[in-house]
Amino acid sequence: MSGYLTGVLVTLSFNVIAAYAVYLPMAAGQLNLGIAGFMAIGAYLGAFLTNELSWPIWAAVPVSAGLAGTVGLLIGLPVLRTHGIYLAMATFALGQVISATFLNLEVVGGAAGYPVAAYAPPAVVFAAAAGVFLFMVLLSTTRFALYLTAVKSDATVADLLGISVRGIQVAAFTLGAVVAGFGGALYGHHYSFIEAQHFNVMLSVFPVLYVLFGGTQTVLGPLVGALFFTLAPEWLRASAEWRYALFAMFIILFMAARPQGLVTTSMFRLLGRRKAQAPA
Amino acid sequence: MVSQQIVNGLMLGSIYMLVAVAFTLAIGVLNFLNFSIPGLFMLGGMAAYGGVKMGLHWSLAFAGALALAGLVSLAVERLAYRPMRGGDPEVPLVSSLGFLVLLENLMLIRFGSDQQAFPALLADTNLRVGGLVIGMAQLASLALSIALVIWLSWFLSATNTGRRVRTVAESGETAVLLGIDMSSLVPRLFIGSALLAATAGILFAVNYQQVSPFMGEGVGFKGVAAMIVGGMGSIWGAVLGGLLIGMVEVLSISLIGSNVVNITVYGLLLLILILRPQGLMGRPPSREKL
């Protein structure tokens, strides 16, 4: 495998993990605009464990993912009192506060960044992304996925049917944070260097784009979205400076033509629904 | 020294205030978190810079920048908002973000990624009041921002169009039933919100004498924060939030250091969201389901 191809595939793997971190809360109807914060927790804690306490990577990464999840749980409880756009903004603020906190933590390098000694080779990254994907596919066959859809579609009805709406919401938010923390911890160990500035708003927002572009209705949507967003700019590389402009134009036109995203459960049902909506 | 910082905070806050009002128009009325607003803010500043650099008189350059922002905002309405009406509220976010990326990269191609110096329009005439230094450009933009907001508030409460806007904000369906022509009102709202954002961008360029293709991101997101702190959908809330965020930013830079700005500003936002989600001056959501 050429170095270029490996590089692109590694980026793809991280993007897939990030996309699924956004997908889980979104499947429960939450727009999480702060996953960069959870990635930062995973990245910094993972690096701290291997650097300062000389933990092995295989132990440090899951533990950091777990801690990111714990933070998600603790913060999710108050934050999930808000709904819709308020929740989106709360997660957005949360992501900003977390990465700004790391920017000021001198014990992990502060603004200068934090080198990571232990190294995770590309094969590990690929395996991790595949693992996250398989986990999500598995999850989509369980009742939990049904609960998520129920809570997203109509929380009141889900509540009446005996689903613990708040429990499901917190679980989805926390699991998303775990996946983000997992990706972040791996990111630090693969690239051998982390800096707080990397975990910015755009890092939170782009995975949301992958998911909405790919479509939120099926478990395949985030994968397809991440694939497209990683590979399309590479294909457009020939047109150097115009590539992001062309790419943005394509996204705008695509979303105007197909707002549900690329992959949907049933084309026919959707066509019918769109017709029904047309007169509004 | 602190009073000087308060003056600076007010100036910065007046820019956040305009951006926050632009966001509030989009979200309070249309329930659309319009991420193209930071792009329109940047377009205002960059296009004004381009015009002045081409040798246009500043008034022409500013008018051109405003017109351009209005046109782009119409495209946002047509391509990002209209096709998704009635769908998931987060979907138009994708395409409005697409516009932000598009505008940034178009400006990048045209002007390069470096920060450009915006020429000083007003000769450096500073007002000195009891040890305080107040730039005339700053004072003029503060006055202009406040005048714009007062006018907008009057417009929304006293005119027919304003009444229609408030009806749509209350309930889009009711507005349609009452015979409000959404297809003409919505584009006008988009233009209005774009003009506010672009004006803020021009004022930023004049005040801080610098523009760059990415100037919209930081200011735009703080504008969102200001809007929420003040209370979504409330014009005066956006004013209060904008001034508060500007003040918090300037004071935390001068008292603690520039690295803590994101902690204090977004920490304040998070705190408000947890303690009082409707914002300082917002009404509690009336149709909460659970």
Side-chain angles (χ1 to χ4, degrees):
Chain A
M1 224 188 300
S2 73
Y4 169 71
L5 187 62
T6 313
V8 171
L9 286 179
V10 166
T11 313
L12 173 66
S13 304
F14 283 119
N15 288 345
V16 168
I17 298 177
Y20 280 105
V22 169
Y23 169 75
L24 257 185
M26 203 177 275
Q30 305 157 7
L31 178 58
N32 188 337
L33 290 179
I35 62 148
F38 296 114
M39 288 187 196
I41 294 178
Y44 273 98
L45 184 79
F48 186 81
L49 288 177
T50 53
N51 271 0
E52 318 289 332
L53 308 178
S54 15
W55 284 33
I57 294 182
W58 60 263
V61 170
V63 167
S64 338
L67 188 94
T70 314
V71 174
L73 180 69
L74 290 179
I75 296 178
L77 285 173
V79 160
L80 282 169
R81 283 175 44 207
T82 59
H83 299 266
I85 209 77
Y86 293 96
L87 175 64
M89 293 330 298
T91 57
F92 167 78
L94 182 64
Q96 297 281 54
V97 170
I98 293 176
S99 41
T101 307
F102 283 114
L103 188 65
N104 289 285
L105 268 187
E106 286 308 324
V107 69
V108 286
Y114 193 45
V116 189
Y119 176 69
V124 174
V125 179
F126 301 154
V132 168
F133 174 66
L134 285 179
F135 172 71
M136 291 296 162
V137 172
L138 211 67
L139 201 65
S140 73
T141 63
T142 63
R143 293 190 74 85
F144 183 70
L146 281 181
Y147 295 156
L148 291 180
T149 317
V151 168
K152 181 189 182 169
S153 306
D154 195 323
T156 313
V157 172
D159 195 33
L160 288 172
L161 289 176
I163 296 174
S164 161
V165 171
R166 201 156 155 68
I168 293 288
Q169 281 173 337
V170 172
F173 189 80
T174 307
L175 266 177
V178 170
V179 175
F182 179 73
L186 216 55
Y187 170 91
H189 287 108
H190 179 74
Y191 288 106
S192 306
F193 186 74
I194 42 181
E195 52 177 351
Q197 295 90 329
H198 170 76
F199 301 95
N200 59 16
V201 184
M202 287 303 159
L203 188 70
S204 293
V205 167
F206 275 109
V208 176
L209 285 187
Y210 309 158
V211 175
L212 288 175
F213 182 87
T216 53
Q217 298 178 0
T218 68
V219 72
L220 284 178
L223 179 70
V224 173
L227 263 169
F228 180 81
F229 270 80
T230 315
L231 299 183
E234 297 301 323
W235 291 329
L236 287 170
R237 204 176 267 283
S239 55
E241 58 175 4
W242 276 91
R243 79 177 159 138
Y244 284 109
L246 285 174
F247 187 53
M249 265 185 255
F250 172 77
I251 292 165
I252 293 164
L253 294 176
F254 176 86
M255 290 313 282
R258 195 167 164 75
Q260 326 67 11
L262 203 55
V263 188
T264 51
T265 39
S266 159
M267 315 281 295
F268 292 107
R269 209 179 68 208
L270 267 162
L271 281 174
R273 197 189 294 165
R274 213 196 287 172
K275 264 188 206 129
Q277 274 174 7
Chain B
M1 203 47 219
V2 169
S3 48
Q4 177 68 53
Q5 296 303 338
I6 290 178
V7 170
N8 295 347
L10 278 179
M11 301 303 171
L12 185 62
S14 72
I15 291 184
Y16 291 158
M17 174 173 104
L18 285 183
V19 179
V21 173
F23 270 110
T24 262
L25 276 186
I27 212 164
V29 181
L30 305 169
N31 199 19
F32 172 27
L33 184 57
N34 186 350
F35 263 124
S36 71
I37 286 176
L40 296 168
F41 170 88
M42 180 274 294
L43 186 65
M46 287 302 278
Y49 164 77
V52 170
K53 213 177 133 200
M54 270 159 48
L56 290 178
H57 187 253
W58 62 266
S59 58
L60 278 177
F62 288 5
L66 289 175
L68 193 61
L71 279 178
V72 172
S73 194
L74 277 182
V76 174
E77 193 270 337
R78 187 54 64 90
L79 291 169
Y81 179 73
R82 197 174 290 191
M84 333 268 177
R85 217 186 274 172
D88 280 348
E90 60 258 30
V91 172
L93 194 128
V94 177
S95 9
S96 70
L97 211 65
F99 271 100
L100 174 61
V101 175
L102 176 64
L103 288 173
E104 284 182 348
N105 280 284
L106 288 179
M107 289 299 146
L108 198 70
I109 294 167
R110 176 74 182 76
F111 295 105
S113 64
D114 296 338
Q115 207 154 58
Q116 312 279 349
F118 194 88
L121 295 177
L122 295 169
D124 195 20
T125 43
N126 288 332
L127 220 61
R128 279 163 215 284
V129 187
L132 291 180
V133 185
I134 304 172
M136 282 310 280
Q138 293 184 321
L139 202 63
S141 46
L142 184 66
L144 181 65
S145 312
I146 290 176
L148 261 177
V149 171
I150 292 177
W151 175 80
L152 188 68
S153 163
W154 167 82
F155 181 84
L156 285 177
S157 68
T159 65
N160 257 330
T161 311
R163 204 166 294 127
R164 288 195 195 106
V165 171
R166 284 185 292 132
T167 313
V168 177
E170 200 74 37
S171 158
E173 281 172 35
T174 314
V176 172
L177 288 176
L178 289 173
I180 289 174
D181 185 3
M182 293 286 267
S183 57
S184 85
L185 187 70
V186 172
R188 276 191 277 165
L189 265 172
F190 269 84
I191 294 180
S193 149
L195 292 183
L196 285 167
T199 307
I202 294 173
L203 291 180
F204 185 89
V206 171
N207 269 333
Y208 297 95
Q209 293 173 12
Q210 57 186 33
V211 288
S212 88
F214 301 106
M215 65 194 262
E217 287 180 11
V219 176
F221 295 133
K222 294 215 178 78
V224 177
M227 166 189 75
I228 294 185
V229 166
M232 231 180 272
S234 150
I235 302 269
W236 290 105
V239 171
L240 178 71
L243 297 179
L244 200 62
I245 294 278
M247 207 79 94
V248 167
E249 173 168 350
V250 168
L251 286 180
S252 49
I253 288 178
S254 76
L255 298 179
I256 316 174
S258 63
N259 278 347
V260 298
V261 168
N262 275 358
I263 298 186
T264 49
V265 167
Y266 293 107
L268 174 71
L269 173 60
L270 199 59
L271 200 68
I272 293 273
L273 274 168
I274 290 173
L275 297 179
R276 198 178 153 81
Q278 70 270 32
L280 294 175
M281 295 177 71
R283 282 177 302 171
S286 51
R287 281 165 292 140
E288 199 77 66
K289 270 183 177 168
L290 282 169

